[in-house]
Amino acid sequence: MSPLAVFAVIATIIAIAIPHFSSRLLPYGPAFDVPPNRGPHLGPQPDPSNTNLRLSSGKLTKIYERVEDGARPLLVGPETIIFDSNGNIYILNENAQLVTLTDIRETDNPFILTAEAIEVANLGVGRPLSGKFDHKGCLYFTDVVMGLARICLTNHENHSLVPPVELLASRVRLHDGSWSSINYADDIDIGPRSGHIYFSDASDARSERDVRTGRWDIMYPSKVEGIRWNMSGRLLRYKPETGEVDVLATGASFGNGVAVDNEETYVLFTSTFDRTVMKYHVQGEKAGQIEQILDQFPGLVDGVDCSFDSGKCYVAIPTAVSPAQGALFSLPSSISKLIRTFLLMLPRNATPDAKPYGGFAEINPGNEHSLPGIIRVFQDPDGEDVDFVTGVTAYASKVYLGSLHNDFIGVYSLS
């Protein structure tokens, strides 16, 4: 069958199916047109000769949990590594547990460390992804199911009990007075001057429980967003002093990483499937404006974090763009839209998994003296030692690497 005939068959199926089964086959609607200057195909491919994120580089170490026989592992799916003011390490796992890692020990392998993992609190029924401590010892965290939440570990009056989890925001009031649900709270940072909480609402597609595993399927909404391309990702701000939430920026293709600079003059905000880093200006002449500053990453982008010491920032690159994905978005808009609508009708388990890859980039976010730029890229092009890096945390001349898929923490020394 010729490509034209295949296209005609697909078009006929979609034309017949959509009016009758649209709510079931396309719960989030059909695919959107992609502007010619947008899309995952607009960017370079990884350099296969760059392997500086492997253990053989001598810069990477991995921290695994010491698990006793019969015990349930706690270091599972650590998207983001969190530090409190005392330098203690925490992670949020796939079972909605806040976990601290202590007693880190060396092993016979100089690049492998082990740690004791201790549950600090159960955070509820959702799936927390990212968190930051404020100066009072309260952990603000994003949960893809609940929204924005908080747990205060040091201010709890009865220290014999686990402190309560407070749900701070599950919706946001829009300019017209209507309310909009926060469907996928993702990454978070805290303004060092105002104490305001900046966080992303990645997509209007919700996560659902996987009936086979009982876990939240947090990957499927990103796949929906990457295929549908309606650019529903948003940057939000929560003001603890008033309890208000407002929308700072919209139009991201899976709005993901969030990072504030040390003066809180701007907030970096990543758009995953655009492969872009944007800058929202909090202060200055451009206050209230957002601009795209970088887009030439060798893969899709995820979490972001900035070092207050060096002024440099770090962007997680979980996966490269597959040739099929690039080809799909290179087609004429009408054909691409039709094929992507058909793909949205397929069962969840029919969507492809990401190509093995792990990486992150060091960037200059730019200021009045220099332009934004990608300084260097660290990668494991085949995911041999580190795969699917979704979160980065800059701390004490190291970058801590988290992943939704891994059972360890990667630590890359920048010195």
Side-chain angles (χ1 to χ4, degrees):
M1 186 179 292
S2 68
L4 184 61
V6 172
F7 175 72
V9 171
I10 293 175
T12 303
I13 293 173
I14 293 175
I16 295 173
I18 286 179
H20 299 285
F21 305 104
S22 59
S23 62
R24 294 181 61 185
L25 293 175
L26 295 167
Y28 300 107
F32 287 71
D33 287 318
V34 179
N37 63 333
R38 306 288 290 268
H41 61 296
L42 301 175
Q45 287 296 310
D47 176 4
S49 67
N50 180 359
T51 59
N52 55 2
L53 192 52
R54 288 185 179 158
L55 291 173
S56 58
S57 69
K59 295 283 190 175
L60 175 69
T61 56
K62 298 164 76 171
I63 304 175
Y64 287 89
E65 176 187 359
R66 294 191 298 273
V67 184
E68 296 182 1
D69 292 340
R72 186 179 186 183
L74 296 175
L75 184 54
V76 285
E79 160 96 326
T80 307
I81 289 76
I82 308 163
F83 289 88
D84 67 11
S85 59
N86 296 317
N88 298 312
I89 304 177
Y90 296 82
I91 61 100
L92 304 164
N93 72 13
E94 65 180 23
N95 298 312
Q97 294 164 298
L98 173 62
V99 175
T100 185
L101 301 180
T102 64
D103 189 21
I104 297 177
R105 303 177 186 175
E106 296 180 348
T107 68
D108 294 337
N109 186 328
F111 305 117
I112 302 296
L113 306 175
T114 64
E116 181 182 3
I118 301 172
E119 180 182 346
V120 177
N122 189 303
L123 302 179
V125 298
R127 194 351 177 156
L129 289 183
S130 182
K132 288 281 185 176
F133 282 99
D134 69 2
H135 67 281
K136 298 178 181 179
C138 292
L139 176 69
Y140 287 83
F141 66 93
T142 48
D143 187 295
V144 298
V145 179
M146 297 192 300
L148 177 67
R150 174 177 63 194
I151 183 170
C152 295
L153 302 181
T154 60
N155 297 340
H156 189 50
E157 294 180 359
N158 189 341
H159 294 285
S160 64
L161 299 175
V162 177
V165 175
E166 304 170 76
L167 180 60
L168 302 176
S170 60
R171 60 179 186 168
V172 56
R173 197 180 191 100
L174 304 180
H175 294 301
D176 61 5
S178 63
W179 290 94
S180 173
S181 297
I182 299 171
N183 290 337
Y184 200 113
D186 197 332
D187 201 7
I188 189 171
D189 206 353
I190 300 179
R193 290 183 173 270
S194 68
H196 291 165
I197 314 302
Y198 300 92
F199 66 106
S200 56
D201 182 20
S203 171
D204 61 2
R206 288 185 175 274
S207 296
E208 297 179 7
R209 280 197 187 276
D210 187 324
V211 295
R212 298 168 300 171
T213 65
R215 299 189 182 95
W216 292 102
D217 184 0
I218 60 176
M219 292 301 300
Y220 185 68
S222 69
K223 294 177 179 179
V224 168
E225 188 74 16
I227 297 171
R228 187 180 47 154
W229 206 270
N230 73 327
M231 298 181 288
S232 62
R234 306 182 290 187
L235 175 63
L236 308 180
R237 174 177 57 189
Y238 170 79
K239 299 179 179 179
E241 68 270 23
T242 64
E244 296 176 330
V245 182
D246 58 345
V247 179
L248 301 182
T250 60
S253 182
F254 205 73
N256 211 321
V258 175
V260 187
D261 74 308
N262 60 350
E263 297 294 332
E264 201 175 343
T265 56
Y266 60 80
V267 181
L268 297 186
F269 178 43
T270 65
S271 179
T272 292
F273 293 100
D274 264 343
R275 304 207 239 184
T276 62
V277 174
M278 296 175 286
K279 179 187 284 187
Y280 174 84
H281 295 270
V282 180
Q283 304 176 40
E285 296 180 355
K286 295 182 179 180
Q289 299 179 30
I290 190 166
E291 59 180 332
Q292 177 179 312
I293 61 169
L294 292 170
D295 63 0
Q296 290 298 299
F297 295 92
L300 305 182
V301 294
D302 204 302
V304 61
D305 196 34
C306 294
S307 168
F308 286 2
D309 297 324
S310 69
K312 298 173 182 176
C313 300
Y314 300 88
V315 181
I317 308 174
T319 183
V321 175
S322 69
Q325 190 177 20
L328 177 60
F329 282 87
S330 300
L331 294 170
S333 179
S334 59
I335 298 176
S336 173
K337 179 180 177 181
L338 194 62
I339 295 175
R340 287 185 289 111
T341 297
F342 174 73
L343 293 175
L344 288 168
M345 297 181 186
L346 298 178
R348 287 171 177 261
N349 56 11
T351 55
D353 293 326
K355 176 185 176 182
Y357 175 91
F360 70 96
E362 181 180 70
I363 68 169
N364 171 15
N367 53 37
E368 64 272 18
H369 305 296
S370 63
L371 295 175
I374 299 174
I375 301 172
R376 49 183 174 168
V377 173
F378 306 88
Q379 66 172 21
D380 183 349
D382 302 312
E384 182 178 305
D385 294 320
V386 178
D387 184 24
F388 205 71
V389 176
T390 54
V392 287
T393 302
Y395 186 82
S397 299
K398 295 180 174 65
V399 178
Y400 289 76
L401 310 174
S403 173
L404 293 171
H405 293 173
N406 293 338
D407 61 352
F408 64 85
I409 292 172
V411 185
Y412 193 89
S413 175
L414 297 170
S415 59

